[in-house]
Amino acid sequence: MEVRWKTEEFIFDSLREAEVWADSIANEIYGRLFDGYITPDCKIAFALSFLLASIPEFKVQSHYDGQVYKVWVALVMD
């Protein structure tokens, strides 16, 4: 499966700002506009992973390569 990525360079000062931002990204991933998100901000990656993990149909995966965080989902097939 080819992952459709959205990449942005935002870095927020607080976890609360990152949570609000991640909520909008989670909605776009839930709507299947894209499958994953790339960010240099660990706060966004953390919040996005947490929000996506609350959706039973998603298996959330993440990776940090030393520069950017990648968070993506795969659909769970029952």
Side-chain angles (χ1 to χ4, degrees), residues 1-6 25-26 29-30 32 34-39 44-55 57-65 68-76:
M1 177 182 123
E2 183 71 27
V3 177
R4 294 170 296 172
W5 296 101
K6 181 171 186 173
I25 299 302
I29 291 175
Y30 185 74
R32 308 303 293 166
F34 52 90
D35 305 304
Y37 189 73
I38 300 173
T39 178
I44 296 173
F46 168 80
L48 182 58
S49 295
F50 183 80
L51 289 168
L52 292 173
S54 69
I55 300 170
E57 297 85 15
F58 287 163
K59 177 182 177 185
V60 180
Q61 300 177 45
S62 63
H63 176 72
Y64 178 61
D65 69 5
V68 295
Y69 296 86
K70 294 180 178 181
V71 178
W72 69 98
V73 297
L75 290 176
V76 174

Side-chain angles (χ1 to χ4, degrees), residues 8-58:
E8 294 178 312
E9 299 294 323
F10 296 113
I11 296 179
F12 291 103
D13 293 328
S14 72
L15 182 57
R16 180 64 187 139
E17 290 173 315
E19 287 174 332
V20 171
W21 184 258
D23 185 53
S24 68
I25 299 302
N27 287 332
E28 291 181 26
I29 291 175
Y30 185 74
R32 308 303 293 166
L33 297 176
F34 52 90
D35 305 304
Y37 189 73
I38 300 173
T39 178
D41 191 343
C42 65
K43 296 178 296 297
I44 296 173
F46 168 80
L48 182 58
S49 295
F50 183 80
L51 289 168
L52 292 173
S54 69
I55 300 170
E57 297 85 15
F58 287 163

